[in-house]
Amino acid sequence: MTLGELIQQSRFSSPSQEALLNVLATASYITSEMGSTLADSGVTQAQYNVLRILRGGHPEPYACSEIAGRLLDRTPDVTRLLVRLERQGLVRRQRAEHDRRVVEVEITEAGLELLETLDAPVSDTLERLTAHLDDAELQAISTLLERVRTDQA
């Protein structure tokens, strides 16, 4: 389905408007598909992202500010995300010994196990969403999107 069909609009004010609306529509679609993949796990996409970040540093903990800086979806309330994950037993939070103002977070064994069960379904979803694109096309998408984000002179 084309963007015009999706939003029932036949004309756009500029190619940039059409392109950026396409990015937003595609992001929404991917978010919905990933949400469906994660639905039965009991974690949201933002929580999943936090767990992936923590697994990447395991066994070392990350400060809350480090987690916030690495999130794909910049949420202002990282603490609330972490509290929910802690209640589920997926992360552990504690004050840093070197600086009591810093809260460090580490993934628990339960969190690691949950991610392990999600690795295949998430990978399958990503493969399904991009199966009709070859590596060169995927690289081109990545390159162009990075330019949109970073070439702001």
Side-chain angles (χ1 to χ4, degrees):
M1 174 181 296
T2 68
L3 177 64
E5 293 167 341
L6 179 67
I7 65 173
Q8 299 176 8
Q9 181 175 328
S10 60
R11 292 181 313 192
F12 299 92
S13 64
S14 67
S16 62
Q17 181 193 45
E18 183 177 7
L20 294 179
L21 286 174
N22 242 318
V23 168
L24 293 173
T26 303
S28 178
Y29 171 70
I30 294 168
T31 297
S32 176
E33 293 295 311
M34 289 300 293
S36 294
T37 299
L38 297 172
D40 293 337
S41 71
V43 295
T44 65
Q45 290 176 72
Q47 291 168 336
Y48 172 75
N49 192 15
V50 168
L51 292 173
R52 281 186 351 102
I53 291 166
L54 292 171
R55 177 171 64 180
H58 182 71
E60 297 299 318
Y62 279 122
C64 290
S65 59
E66 290 176 292
I67 295 168
R70 292 172 180 243
L71 285 174
L72 294 173
D73 184 17
R74 302 284 185 214
T75 178
D77 202 355
V78 174
T79 302
R80 188 170 12 160
L81 272 175
L82 295 171
V83 166
R84 289 182 180 151
L85 289 168
E86 187 175 38
R87 284 187 191 140
Q88 292 176 296
L90 302 174
V91 303
R92 188 174 16 263
R93 296 182 309 146
Q94 59 192 18
R95 295 273 174 203
E97 290 190 19
H98 70 279
D99 184 343
R100 302 297 293 166
R101 296 171 295 178
V102 175
V103 175
E104 294 181 325
V105 185
E106 62 184 323
I107 192 167
T108 63
E109 284 302 315
L112 290 169
E113 290 170 10
L114 176 61
L115 283 180
E116 190 173 322
T117 67
L118 291 172
D119 284 342
V122 167
S123 180
D124 291 348
T125 298
L126 296 176
E127 286 298 318
R128 178 177 52 79
L129 292 173
T130 60
H132 57 290
L133 302 171
D134 64 32
D135 288 348
E137 290 170 319
L138 292 168
Q139 186 58 56
I141 290 169
S142 291
T143 299
L144 292 171
L145 291 173
E146 284 176 4
R147 285 184 57 196
V148 169
R149 277 194 326 277
T150 60
D151 287 0
Q152 304 296 316

